[in-house]
Amino acid sequence: MAKKRVAIMTGGGDCPGLNAVIYGAVRVGIARYGWEVLGVEDATRGLIDLAYAFPHGNQWLTLESVRPILSRGGTILGTSNRSDPFNFVVRNADGTEGTIDVSDRVVENFKKLDLSALISIGGDGSMRIAKLLIDKGIPIVGVPKTIDNDLASTDQTFGFDTAVQIATEALDRVRDTAESHDRVMIVEVMGRDAGFIALHAGIAGGADAILIPEIPYRLEPIAETVKARRAAGQTYSVIVVAEGAKPKDGQASVGEHKAGAMPRLMGAGMRVADGLGPMIAAELRVTVLGHIQRGGSPSNYDRVLAVRYGQAAAELVERGEFGRMVALRGGEITSVAIAEASAANKRVDPRGQLVSTARAIGVTFGDE
Ligand code: F6P
């Protein structure tokens, strides 16, 4: 009997643990089920154009080739957040960028390669694309990833734990220097429209203020916190600002917006510093952690979760349960419909336990 040929790809922004999912899925797929596994380059890019080779193109994965990748950050397959085949970015004759639908090419190439299934590892954008490709007849199993942890259908995405760990370590480091110089330090973290990284790292890293998109802030309560600390002899403060944080009656700080991509969030920390500076008699400094949160070796927790997701994805493919995304619920790996996964985002509950815990230990969210 012919071997089953399964493709695997990573889409959207990278995050620690992508390689660990590939490792888990490939080991189960090859060693247990005898598959051939094709690693697709740069999300759907490698299926839109089979000659695409930036830098190496699609590659057949083996037990040997995935052996060293478990602990490696990034993704050996490359990724892209501008490879939506339904809105594929092209350059117009006048030099501007536009989008076209090349999804039929993905379907054709999937057949040409004689593939029987695709494992798509990605965030909400990748799951939305997966859902549309399923509707065009491609059998897909999804695996949720994002450092933002903003997918409602899974308790946790892999990559989040590592990002929180990195942000927490940054807060610890920044506090030392804040204390030495009697400064107010602002640390901007990622998370898009969700404040999970800021909230978790803020609590773990002992922040005095945590500003998240779900709780619009005013500067006055933050200034009051800084002043009260100074009056009590704590001459420094640490403020963690989620990149999507917004002032009451204001919007998130947005930078460039390229065709086929989400607008870039930038400037949230600087905006707080600019507003707060004149209100307090202290020096301010801003640190933007940026992509440092996305690189590096995954935490133990993320490695274990990622390998479990990889195994579960391979098993769904083997059982022919397509249109499903693996998920973590109550500590157990299960699966949900990709349609459901792509529809529902998760946000910090402003009335939830974690926000209450932070408030109880004296953290301000800038709202009261
Ligand atoms: O969704 C993951 C994420 O890291 C967000 O936290 C951040 O806003 C965005 O991706 C950054 O994307 P890019 O790598 O395109 O700058």
Side-chain angles (χ1 to χ4, degrees):
M1 204 172 75
K3 285 186 172 191
K4 192 179 274 181
R5 282 188 160 186
V6 177
I8 187 163
M9 68 183 188
T10 49
D14 64 357
C15 85
L18 287 171
N19 284 326
V21 178
I22 297 167
Y23 170 92
V26 169
R27 283 178 74 98
V28 174
I30 294 179
R32 185 171 281 184
Y33 301 130
W35 300 348
E36 291 175 328
V37 185
L38 181 71
V40 177
E41 176 82 8
D42 285 355
T44 45
R45 198 72 180 75
L47 288 178
I48 291 169
D49 175 6
L50 294 183
Y52 177 76
F54 191 68
H56 32 62
N58 302 339
Q59 52 182 307
W60 292 103
L61 301 173
T62 63
L63 291 175
E64 195 51 33
S65 67
V66 299
R67 195 177 47 76
I69 69 171
L70 171 63
S71 60
R72 270 174 54 187
T75 160
I76 57 162
L77 303 177
T79 186
S80 163
N81 43 23
R82 296 184 86 200
S83 292
D84 177 352
F86 297 91
N87 292 287
F88 191 63
V89 180
V90 287
R91 195 163 284 282
N92 299 317
D94 62 0
T96 58
E97 285 186 336
T99 57
I100 55 169
D101 183 347
V102 293
S103 56
D104 286 342
R105 277 202 241 159
V106 174
V107 178
E108 272 164 38
N109 286 330
F110 186 84
K111 287 185 188 150
K112 204 179 277 179
L113 288 165
D114 197 22
L115 294 166
S116 41
L118 170 65
I119 296 175
S120 171
I121 311 167
D124 50 355
S126 303
M127 292 308 137
R128 186 184 49 75
I129 295 166
K131 164 75 181 71
L132 295 172
L133 289 173
I134 290 165
D135 293 345
K136 289 181 86 91
I138 299 190
I140 298 181
V141 161
V143 179
K145 72 85 227 185
T146 166
I147 62 165
D148 304 337
N149 200 32
D150 59 354
L151 293 180
S153 40
T154 185
D155 291 349
Q156 192 154 324
T157 51
F158 67 88
F160 172 66
D161 182 69
T162 310
V164 168
Q165 203 165 294
I166 294 165
T168 303
E169 188 189 333
L171 291 173
D172 288 346
R173 287 174 187 267
V174 153
R175 193 180 328 99
D176 289 346
T177 161
E179 193 167 3
S180 309
H181 288 269
D182 309 313
R183 281 174 172 160
V184 173
M185 296 295 225
I186 293 176
V187 179
E188 182 185 308
V189 300
M190 282 186 165
R192 282 217 73 84
D193 304 319
F196 293 106
I197 297 176
L199 179 58
H200 285 248
I203 292 175
D208 305 295
I210 301 175
L211 308 184
I212 57 175
E214 296 86 347
I215 305 180
Y217 65 83
R218 289 182 300 113
L219 292 169
E220 290 74 15
I222 309 167
E224 285 317 311
T225 298
V226 171
K227 287 186 205 160
R229 283 176 55 77
R230 286 173 82 84
Q234 286 158 324
T235 51
Y236 67 95
S237 292
V238 175
I239 301 172
V240 55
V241 181
E243 62 180 357
K246 42 183 170 272
K248 197 166 183 303
D249 304 322
Q251 297 300 319
S253 285
V254 171
E256 65 173 349
H257 188 181
K258 284 189 170 174
M262 305 271 272
R264 283 184 70 196
L265 293 171
M266 58 197 328
M270 208 57 220
R271 176 161 69 174
V272 172
D274 287 345
L276 204 57
M279 301 169 76
I280 55 172
E283 270 195 314
L284 275 159
R285 293 288 186 272
V286 179
T287 303
V288 179
L289 286 191
H291 293 79
I292 289 171
Q293 294 155 99
R294 292 231 307 248
S297 188
S299 67
N300 298 355
Y301 180 89
D302 279 338
R303 290 184 203 188
V304 173
L305 181 58
V307 170
R308 292 175 80 192
Y309 277 163
Q311 175 207 352
E315 288 173 353
L316 283 176
V317 168
E318 188 61 21
R319 291 200 298 268
E321 290 183 37
F322 300 113
R324 309 289 297 173
M325 183 191 83
V326 300
L328 180 74
R329 290 213 166 147
E332 296 293 312
I333 301 289
T334 175
S335 73
V336 296
I338 284 184
E340 179 195 327
S342 59
N345 287 325
K346 184 165 65 182
R347 299 287 179 259
V348 170
D349 177 1
R351 296 176 193 284
Q353 270 195 355
L354 219 46
V355 171
S356 303
T357 299
R359 290 195 200 276
I361 57 172
V363 173
T364 180
F365 287 85
D367 60 332
E368 55 186 37

